[in-house]
């Protein structure tokens, strides 16, 4: 069985990000279990990536979690919202994956109480999914997945019929990586941020088999 450390290291971060799509992200919150299948994620390639928090080796108290072992949780704030990132590669190599959207599975009533929105608006963005999960602080930042109430299941998963690659959203315009194609998402899934209604696959949500 593949361990978290093995899954989140030893391969290019772009490959890991693609493979993360369809995996179940769950959180044993104080209100109960909430979870969702990952439908959108972005890779950030560390010191050489001008859009990354660790560009040119920048290391602060705020981004220290990125330098942790593979599978370390990096929670940070952006524009007043919380975001969920996972460190990848070996310890000291600050690459990470931002989870941008999930399709809800467990605890829908809890998520809707945390974030009173209907349909895809519930979790179709990094800040939205964190609000729906009930994450309102940095308590679990810099904690390994295995030592936290979060889990990325490598067994409970769905298979995307097609994965789209694009430029990342809302990243720094400095350097040459602004438009790098490091965003990956499940084609047609309604819970992908910014997905237009005409591009949504309402029948299968972009999975190989209908849910």
């Amino acid at each position: 069985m593949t361990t978290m450390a093995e899954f989140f290291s030893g391969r290019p971060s772009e490959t890991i990000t693609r493979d993360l799509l369809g995996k179940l992200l769950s959180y044993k919150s104080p209100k109960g279990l909430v979870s969702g299948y990952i439908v959108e994620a972005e890779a950030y390639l560390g010191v050489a990536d001008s859009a990354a928090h660790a560009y040119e080796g920048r290391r602060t108290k705020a981004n220290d979690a990125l330098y942790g072992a593979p599978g370390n949780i990096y929670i940070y704030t952006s524009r007043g919202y919380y975001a969920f990132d996972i460190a990848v590669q070996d310890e000291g190599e600050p690459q990470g994956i931002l989870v941008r959207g999930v399709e809800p599975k467990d605890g829908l009533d809890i998520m809707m109480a945390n974030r009173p929105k209907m349909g895809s608006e519930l979790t179709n963005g990094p800040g939205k999914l964190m609000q729906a999960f009930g994450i309102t602080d940095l308590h679990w930042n810099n904690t390994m997945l295995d030592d936290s109430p979060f889990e990325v299941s490598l067994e409970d998963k769905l298979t995307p019929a097609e994965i789209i690659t694009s430029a990342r959203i809302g990243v720094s315009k400095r350097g040459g990586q602004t438009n790098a194609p490091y965003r990956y998402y499940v084609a047609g899934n309604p819970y992908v941020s910014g997905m237009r209604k005409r591009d949504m696959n309402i029948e299968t949500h972009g999975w190989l088999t209908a849910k």
Side-chain angles (χ1 to χ4, degrees):
M1 181 181 295
T2 303
T3 66
M4 283 294 101
E6 291 169 339
F7 181 84
F8 287 115
S9 64
R11 302 174 294 153
S13 296
E14 303 96 303
T15 301
I16 299 171
T17 307
R18 290 179 63 95
D19 286 352
L20 197 59
L21 297 181
K23 304 299 190 294
L24 186 72
L25 173 65
S26 63
Y27 170 52
K28 294 177 181 176
S29 80
K31 298 178 181 179
L33 177 67
V34 293
S35 73
Y37 293 102
I38 298 171
V39 299
E40 180 184 8
E42 293 177 339
Y44 288 87
L45 307 187
V47 298
D49 185 349
S50 62
H53 289 178
Y55 180 48
E56 296 182 334
R58 181 172 181 267
R59 185 169 187 172
T60 66
K61 182 179 179 180
N63 76 349
D64 189 66
L66 271 177
Y67 288 82
N72 200 37
I73 296 170
Y74 174 37
I75 296 175
Y76 62 92
T77 57
S78 177
R79 301 178 180 88
Y81 295 94
Y82 290 89
F84 188 85
D85 201 295
I86 302 170
V88 296
Q89 307 307 338
D90 294 336
E91 186 170 357
E93 175 57 50
Q95 300 192 32
I97 297 172
L98 170 66
V99 178
R100 285 196 54 91
V102 301
E103 179 175 331
K105 181 191 178 188
D106 299 299
L108 184 61
D109 56 336
I110 297 172
M111 286 191 271
M112 291 182 66
N114 291 334
R115 178 176 163 78
K117 296 290 183 180
M118 299 292 291
S120 60
E121 275 296 316
L122 184 62
T123 54
N124 66 342
K128 295 176 183 180
L129 77 87
M130 290 290 271
Q131 187 179 33
F133 274 27
I135 306 300
T136 58
D137 56 39
L138 302 176
H139 180 78
W140 294 109
N141 178 54
N142 214 0
T143 304
M144 293 295 292
L145 278 168
D146 290 342
D147 298 323
S148 79
F150 292 92
E151 180 184 4
V152 174
S153 176
L154 304 183
E155 306 302 321
D156 191 339
K157 58 187 178 181
L158 297 174
T159 303
E162 180 185 3
I163 293 174
I164 303 292
T165 303
S166 78
R168 293 167 294 189
I169 297 174
V171 299
S172 170
K173 298 187 183 301
R174 68 190 175 192
Q177 300 296 309
T178 299
N179 297 314
Y182 296 149
R183 173 179 174 245
Y184 303 87
Y185 63 91
V186 178
N189 191 280
Y191 292 89
V192 171
S193 60
M195 178 68 68
R196 296 174 296 188
K197 287 186 177 181
R198 68 183 185 217
D199 295 327
M200 293 179 183
N201 186 324
I202 302 303
E203 182 179 353
T204 68
H205 286 194
W207 307 115
L208 274 180
T209 55
K211 285 171 58 61

